Amino acid sequence: GVALGSASLEWSDLYLADGGVIYFGNDQEITLTHSADDGLILKHVGTGDGKEPSLTFQAGDNDIAVNDVLGSIFFQAPDEGAGTDAILVSAAIEAVSEGDFSASSNVTSLVFKTGASEAATEKMRIMSDGDIGVGTTAPSKPLHLKGGSANGTVRVEHASNSAYTDYQYDGPQVSGNGYVTINGDNSFYVYTNSAQRLKVDSGSTDVAGMLRVNTTATGSQAYIKSDAADEHTLYLEGDNIDDAHVLQCYSNTAHSGN
């Protein structure tokens, strides 16, 4: 086709009317259309399978190393009258190399950035192996959460009645319906209605593996307490099990007494 301008005779500006269309290809199969007062529409006009449009970001760097950015999408409001933080990049998505590229490797992370009172910074990343990190740039599990104002809390909330369970590390929460936590002593806790209901001790404050249910008392390997006078503290029921124990108790050391 005929060139529009040249390397030494560039066009400066191009003005298109509302609804203007740019056609690409000998068959004009790709179009870029102006949607008045809204934006741009990229379309593949073919009607068969595999005729969808695509947009590819390509880096010209011929020696990709660790942390090289392959492409970015930035979101910004540069004309905001308040200035300062308001006109900084508010959010971004970047493809970032995890290491040197080679004939057998193109390891790349997808990084998501958001801003609060700053140029957008990383908040989440999807690694090349599929691991997702929130609050960490080096996730080591399929879902790796770190830090934050709620000490690494994960909240699972019901869709309609606002009931929820929190899973957190380091420190009991003072409000909420229920949560599971590993506290600063590395013991495992379960809370409901903001009260401790179960603890498995790590050994830092009592016997390792000690189980406490509905009590904070110490001194036994397992301590189970009922809050209701008319309720069973521990109830075990067999189901027509022949020659089997519902509950068997024994000691490795002989003792006398009750």
Side-chain angles (χ1 to χ4, degrees):
V2 178
L4 184 63
S6 67
S8 59
L9 297 172
E10 303 89 350
W11 289 60
S12 297
D13 301 296
L14 179 64
Y15 293 84
L16 297 179
D18 284 354
V21 181
I22 300 176
Y23 298 89
F24 297 90
N26 291 344
D27 298 324
Q28 295 82 52
E29 72 280 6
I30 300 296
T31 62
L32 184 63
T33 304
H34 173 244
S35 178
D37 301 320
D38 189 14
L40 297 173
I41 300 171
L42 181 67
K43 180 181 180 181
H44 193 305
V45 300
T47 57
D49 290 342
K51 300 299 183 182
E52 70 284 342
S54 65
L55 186 64
T56 303
F57 290 73
Q58 294 185 336
D61 188 344
N62 61 9
D63 187 16
I64 299 295
V66 62
N67 293 326
D68 281 352
V69 177
L70 305 183
S72 306
I73 301 175
F74 297 107
F75 303 88
Q76 187 177 17
D79 299 327
E80 164 60 46
T84 316
D85 287 350
I87 62 175
L88 298 176
V89 171
S90 300
I93 303 173
E94 291 186 337
V96 181
S97 169
E98 295 175 21
D100 293 348
F101 276 23
S102 69
S104 60
S105 176
N106 64 343
V107 287
T108 302
S109 295
L110 197 60
V111 175
F112 296 82
K113 300 182 177 184
T114 57
S117 181
E118 60 191 345
T121 58
E122 178 175 341
K123 302 301 190 301
M124 184 180 81
R125 121 174 356 218
I126 303 175
M127 301 292 288
S128 59
D129 60 3
D131 287 354
I132 299 173
V134 179
T136 175
T137 60
S140 57
K141 301 293 181 182
L143 179 59
H144 186 159
L145 309 178
K146 179 180 179 181
S149 58
N151 295 322
T153 295
V154 177
R155 175 165 293 183
V156 180
E157 184 171 350
H158 193 278
S160 59
N161 63 14
S162 298
Y164 60 83
T165 299
D166 283 347
Y167 302 84
Q168 68 181 57
Y169 177 80
D170 194 19
Q173 182 173 300
V174 296
S175 63
N177 294 336
Y179 57 96
V180 177
T181 179
I182 298 176
N183 212 336
D185 62 4
N186 291 322
S187 297
F188 179 83
Y189 295 82
V190 176
Y191 286 73
T192 61
N193 198 27
S194 301
Q196 178 184 319
R197 305 302 184 190
L198 181 147
K199 176 183 179 181
V200 180
D201 205 286
S202 65
S204 61
T205 60
D206 213 305
V207 179
M210 176 180 177
L211 173 66
R212 307 174 195 172
V213 180
N214 214 31
T215 180
T216 59
T218 62
S220 299
Q221 188 66 33
Y223 199 131
I224 303 173
K225 178 183 177 183
S226 173
D227 277 342
D230 297 329
E231 296 294 334
H232 300 287
T233 299
L234 179 63
Y235 187 91
L236 302 174
E237 181 178 354
D239 188 15
N240 297 321
I241 304 174
D242 295 331
D243 301 324
H245 299 285
V246 174
L247 177 64
Q248 182 179 23
C249 301
Y250 66 92
S251 173
N252 289 329
T253 305
H255 290 279
S256 61
N258 296 332

